[in-house]
Amino acid sequence: DDIVTLVFHLMNTYQIQKQQIISMGIGVPGSVNKEMGIIGYANNLNFTGVPFLSLIKEKIEWPVYLDNDGNVGAWGEFLAGSGRGYHSMVMVTLGTGIGGGIIINDQLYYGCNNSAGEIGHMVIEKNGLPCNCGRRGCFENYASATALIKYAREAMLENRDSMLWEICQKDTNKLNGVSFFEAVKKEDRVAKAVLEQYISYLATGIANLINIFQPDLLCISGGISQAGSLLLDPLKALVEKEVYTRQDKSGQTVIKVAKLVSDAGMIGAALLKN
Amino acid sequence: DDIVTLVFHLMNTYQIQKQQIISMGIGVPGSVNKEMGIIGYANNLNFTGVPFLSLIKEKIEWPVYLDNDGNVGAWGEFLAGSGRGYHSMVMVTLGTGIGGGIIINDQLYYGCNNSAGEIGHMVIEKNGLPCNCGRRGCFENYASATALIKYAREAMLENRDSMLWEICQKDTNKLNGVSFFEAVKKEDRVAKAVLEQYISYLATGIANLINIFQPDLLCISGGISQAGSLLLDPLKALVEKEVYTRQDKSGQTVIKVAKLVSDAGMIGAALLKN
C-alpha cells in the first residue's frame, strides 16, 4: 500500500499520465521468485513467501518487474554506469557485508534458486573468523566496509597518536569510510597500515573471482569504493600479481569502481524486463 | 601430422568413409582461441601461438572444432553423463590439480580470455601453502588428488600400524587413490582420519562454488571421484551444513560424481560445435 500510494503521489506531483509509463521495477531486499512474483524471504521486512507482485498488481495496471536489490544495482551499473560496453561483469559491493551481482552474456545470472552471487560467503580463510552465515572465514568478515571500520577502530584504540582521533573528534563512533579515507589522504601511518591489511584481503577475494569468472569487468561498488584511486590503485597492483592469467596477452579483466553508486539500483530496477 | 595420420588409419581400419563424418573435435591441453583456431599456450606440448586449426585443415576437409581439454570433459559429462537434464553445471575435477568447467544456460562459459574456471586457484586459506601459480592457500593445494595422496603418505610415515602399509606392500610409492580407498573401506583408522581432513577442505571449496554459482548440478570428476559414496556421502553432509541457501525450499544444487570419467573428453570433443 505504501509503495502504491507513493507512486500515485509522484505521478500527481510530476504530472505523469499512466499512458506515459512503460513499466515499473522494484528492487527487493531479499530472495525473489521473478516468475511467480513472490518474495521468498526478506529478513529485514519479515516477509516469507509474500505474493508481492499480485498485491501490487491489484492497484497498478502497467507491467511491474521484481528482482533482488543487489541484482538491480548490478544491472543499473552494467547498463548505465561503469559496465557500459562490456558483456560480462562481476559486481562486488562493499557494505555491511559483501554483495555480489553476476552478469554473463549481457544477462543477470540467477542460479537454480535465484540466490547465486553470494560472493561474500566464499571462505578465504579456512577456520577463520565466525560469520553469521554459519561458516568461518568468509570473505565479508575481512573485506566488507564493516570489516574496514572494525580494523580501523581497533587500530585507533591501540594507537593514541593516530590522526584518526583528531578527525573523529576523539569519538570512535564517528569513524566511517569518509573519515577513514581522510586520514589515509593525510598520510596517517595507522590508517595506511589498516588500509594495507584490508586491501590484502580484498585482493584475495577479487583474484579468486577473476580466476573463476575472467569477466570483462570486475566492478567495485558500495560507499567506500568512492575513495577511488586510494583504494583502487593498490588493489589493482596486488590483484595483478595474483591472477592466474597475468601473463595472458589475449585478454584481462578490467577492474573499476562503480559510477552510479546509490542511483544504480533505481536505474537498474527501471530497466528490468521479463 | 600424427593426428591426421591416426585419423586416416582409424577410418581405414573401421571402414569409415569421409562422407560419414559430420565433424571432428579436439581437446587441447592448453588455452585455445576457438574463433581463430589457435593454441595460445600449452606447456606440456611446448606450443605457443600455434595456428593448429589451419595446420589440421590442410589435410582434413570436414569441420574441425578445438577446445580446452577441461572444457571438452565438462561438455561430454554435461551432455552425455551425470549432467543430462540439467541446464547449469560446475565441474570440479580432482587430479594433479583441481580443474574446472562451467556450464551456464546449456553453454560452456569461457570468460574474456577463454581461461575462466580456474577454480583450483581460488584461495581458501589466506597465507596458506604455496601454490605453483604464485599464490598461497589455493584450493588445489588442499583438495586435489595429489594433496590427498600427500596427506596419506605423511600419515603412513607417522603411523606404522596403518593398514596402508600392508595394502601398499610396505612401499609408499604404491599409494594411490585405489589403494587409499581400499584402506578406507577396511575401516583403517589412519586412512579414515586423512579422508576426513581432505573432505573438510574439499567441502570448503565446493560450498564456495555453490554460494557463488548455485548451479543445477555440481559434478565431481577425476579418478578419486569414483570412490563414490565413500567420498560423496560425507562431502554432501558437510556441504549441506555450509551453503548459504541450506534452508531455501525453492531449489538446491545437486552434487553428483561423474559417470563418464575418462571417456568424457572424447565424447565432449565429438559433440563440439561452433
Side-chain angles (χ1 to χ4, degrees), chain A residues 143-196:
Chain A
S144 62
T146 308
L148 175 65
I149 299 309
K150 188 189 74 172
Y151 292 145
R153 277 214 183 98
E154 287 167 6
M156 268 177 86
L157 292 169
E158 285 168 21
N159 295 276
R160 294 283 162 171
D161 60 334
S162 165
M163 281 183 210
L164 285 164
W165 286 104
E166 192 190 322
I167 291 166
C168 296
Q169 296 157 300
K170 300 192 193 300
D171 181 357
T172 58
N173 292 318
K174 289 195 179 149
L175 185 62
N176 58 31
V178 174
S179 53
F180 174 78
F181 279 103
E182 202 182 314
V184 172
K185 247 178 251 173
K186 290 181 175 166
E187 299 275 333
D188 178 53
R189 179 187 58 81
V190 175
K192 282 174 73 181
V194 167
L195 184 61
E196 193 181 351

Side-chain angles (χ1 to χ4, degrees), chain A residues 25-242:
Chain A
I26 302 177
V28 178
S31 62
V32 176
N33 182 322
K34 281 160 47 103
E35 287 72 36
M36 310 280 284
I38 288 171
I39 299 181
Y41 180 55
N43 60 324
N44 291 319
L45 299 171
N46 199 19
F47 281 6
T48 306
V50 172
F52 195 75
L53 191 60
S54 62
L55 291 169
I56 293 276
K57 292 288 286 180
E58 281 174 15
K59 294 179 183 166
I60 282 186
E61 46 195 287
W62 48 82
V64 178
Y65 305 116
L66 298 185
D67 209 329
N68 168 266
D69 56 354
N71 281 345
V72 299
W75 192 230
E77 194 64 46
F78 177 72
L79 291 178
S82 292
R84 285 186 71 163
Y86 296 102
H87 298 291
S88 60
M89 178 182 96
V90 175
M91 172 89 111
V92 179
T93 302
L94 309 172
T96 311
I98 295 184
I102 299 168
I103 285 154
I104 288 174
N105 287 336
D106 299 300
Q107 298 294 328
L108 277 162
Y109 173 71
Y110 293 95
C112 68
N113 48 17
N114 292 306
S115 297
E118 285 293 349
I119 60 171
H121 300 286
M122 158 177 70
V123 166
I124 60 166
E125 184 140 302
K126 175 92 178 159
N127 300 321
L129 297 171
C131 183
N132 57 19
C133 81
R135 307 185 80 187
R136 298 188 77 101
C138 285
F139 184 31
E140 72 175 38
N141 297 119
Y142 300 90
S144 62
T146 308
L148 175 65
I149 299 309
K150 188 189 74 172
Y151 292 145
R153 277 214 183 98
E154 287 167 6
M156 268 177 86
L157 292 169
E158 285 168 21
N159 295 276
R160 294 283 162 171
D161 60 334
S162 165
M163 281 183 210
L164 285 164
W165 286 104
E166 192 190 322
I167 291 166
C168 296
Q169 296 157 300
K170 300 192 193 300
D171 181 357
T172 58
N173 292 318
K174 289 195 179 149
L175 185 62
N176 58 31
V178 174
S179 53
F180 174 78
F181 279 103
E182 202 182 314
V184 172
K185 247 178 251 173
K186 290 181 175 166
E187 299 275 333
D188 178 53
R189 179 187 58 81
V190 175
K192 282 174 73 181
V194 167
L195 184 61
E196 193 181 351
Q197 182 197 0
Y198 173 78
I199 286 176
S200 163
Y201 282 104
L202 185 57
T204 295
I206 284 176
N208 281 359
L209 293 168
I210 293 176
N211 282 351
I212 293 168
F213 284 101
Q214 301 285 346
D216 293 338
L217 175 68
L218 190 136
C219 183
I220 300 166
S221 180
I224 62 170
S225 71
Q226 300 312 296
S229 62
L230 285 178
L231 182 78
L232 201 55
D233 292 350
L235 176 70
K236 277 183 177 175
L238 273 187
V239 170
E240 273 166 23
K241 274 195 260 178
E242 295 213 13

Side-chain angles (χ1 to χ4, degrees), chain B residues 157-171:
Chain B
L157 292 169
E158 285 168 19
N159 295 277
R160 294 283 163 172
D161 60 333
S162 165
M163 281 184 212
L164 285 165
W165 285 104
E166 191 190 324
I167 290 166
C168 297
Q169 296 156 301
K170 300 192 195 298
D171 181 358

Side-chain angles (χ1 to χ4, degrees), chain A residues 109 112-113 117-118 121 123-126 133 135 200 204 207-208 211-214 216 242 244 246 251, chain B residues 104 109 112-113 117-118 121 123-126 133 135 200 204 207-208 211-214 216 242 244 246 251:
Chain A
Y109 173 71
C112 68
N113 48 17
E118 285 293 349
H121 300 286
V123 166
I124 60 166
E125 184 140 302
K126 175 92 178 159
C133 81
R135 307 185 80 187
S200 163
T204 295
N208 281 359
N211 282 351
I212 293 168
F213 284 101
Q214 301 285 346
D216 293 338
E242 295 213 13
Y244 194 76
R246 57 193 174 274
Chain B
I104 288 174
Y109 173 72
C112 68
N113 47 18
E118 284 292 349
H121 301 286
V123 166
I124 60 167
E125 183 139 302
K126 175 93 177 158
C133 81
R135 307 185 81 186
S200 162
T204 295
N208 281 0
N211 282 352
I212 293 169
F213 285 100
Q214 302 285 347
D216 293 338
E242 294 214 13
Y244 194 76
R246 56 192 174 275

Side-chain angles (χ1 to χ4, degrees), chain B:
Chain B
D1 284 342
D2 289 347
I3 291 172
V4 170
T5 303
L6 179 62
V7 166
F8 286 121
H9 172 73
L10 287 169
M11 286 171 66
N12 198 33
T13 307
Y14 296 101
Q15 303 272 307
I16 296 167
Q17 308 304 314
K18 65 182 182 186
Q19 299 88 321
Q20 296 175 268
I21 298 175
I22 298 168
S23 67
M24 183 169 125
I26 301 178
V28 178
S31 61
V32 176
N33 182 322
K34 281 160 45 102
E35 288 72 33
M36 310 279 285
I38 289 171
I39 300 181
Y41 179 56
N43 59 325
N44 291 320
L45 300 171
N46 200 19
F47 280 7
T48 306
V50 172
F52 196 74
L53 191 59
S54 62
L55 291 170
I56 292 276
K57 291 289 284 181
E58 281 174 15
K59 295 179 183 166
I60 282 186
E61 46 195 285
W62 48 83
V64 178
Y65 304 117
L66 298 185
D67 209 330
N68 168 266
D69 57 353
N71 281 345
V72 298
W75 192 231
E77 194 65 45
F78 177 71
L79 291 177
S82 292
R84 285 186 71 163
Y86 297 103
H87 298 292
S88 59
M89 179 181 96
V90 174
M91 171 90 110
V92 179
T93 303
L94 309 172
T96 311
I98 295 184
I102 298 168
I103 284 155
I104 288 174
N105 287 336
D106 299 300
Q107 298 294 328
L108 277 162
Y109 173 72
Y110 293 96
C112 68
N113 47 18
N114 292 305
S115 297
E118 284 292 349
I119 60 171
H121 301 286
M122 159 176 71
V123 166
I124 60 167
E125 183 139 302
K126 175 93 177 158
N127 300 321
L129 297 172
C131 183
N132 57 19
C133 81
R135 307 185 81 186
R136 297 187 76 101
C138 285
F139 184 30
E140 72 176 36
N141 297 120
Y142 300 90
S144 62
T146 309
L148 175 66
I149 299 308
K150 189 189 72 172
Y151 293 146
R153 276 214 184 99
E154 287 167 4
M156 267 177 86
L157 292 169
E158 285 168 19
N159 295 277
R160 294 283 163 172
D161 60 333
S162 165
M163 281 184 212
L164 285 165
W165 285 104
E166 191 190 324
I167 290 166
C168 297
Q169 296 156 301
K170 300 192 195 298
D171 181 358
T172 57
N173 293 318
K174 290 196 178 149
L175 186 62
N176 58 30
V178 174
S179 53
F180 174 78
F181 279 103
E182 202 183 314
V184 173
K185 248 180 251 170
K186 289 183 175 164
E187 300 274 334
D188 177 53
R189 179 187 59 80
V190 175
K192 282 174 74 181
V194 167
L195 184 61
E196 192 182 351
Q197 181 197 2
Y198 173 78
I199 286 176
S200 162
Y201 281 104
L202 185 57
T204 295
I206 284 176
N208 281 0
L209 293 169
I210 293 176
N211 282 352
I212 293 169
F213 285 100
Q214 302 285 347
D216 293 338
L217 175 67
L218 191 136
C219 183
I220 299 166
S221 181
I224 63 170
S225 72
Q226 301 312 296
S229 63
L230 285 179
L231 183 78
L232 201 56
D233 291 352
L235 176 70
K236 277 184 177 173
L238 272 189
V239 170
E240 272 166 22
K241 274 196 260 177
E242 294 214 13
V243 293
Y244 194 76
T245 51
R246 56 192 174 275
Q247 292 171 318
D248 191 326
K249 303 284 185 295
S250 70
Q252 295 284 346
T253 295
V254 175
I255 302 177
K256 288 186 182 177
V257 293
K259 268 186 198 164
L260 304 177
V261 201
S262 50
D263 289 343
M266 207 158 45
I267 294 169
L271 295 172
L272 285 177
K273 282 182 196 166
N274 254 349

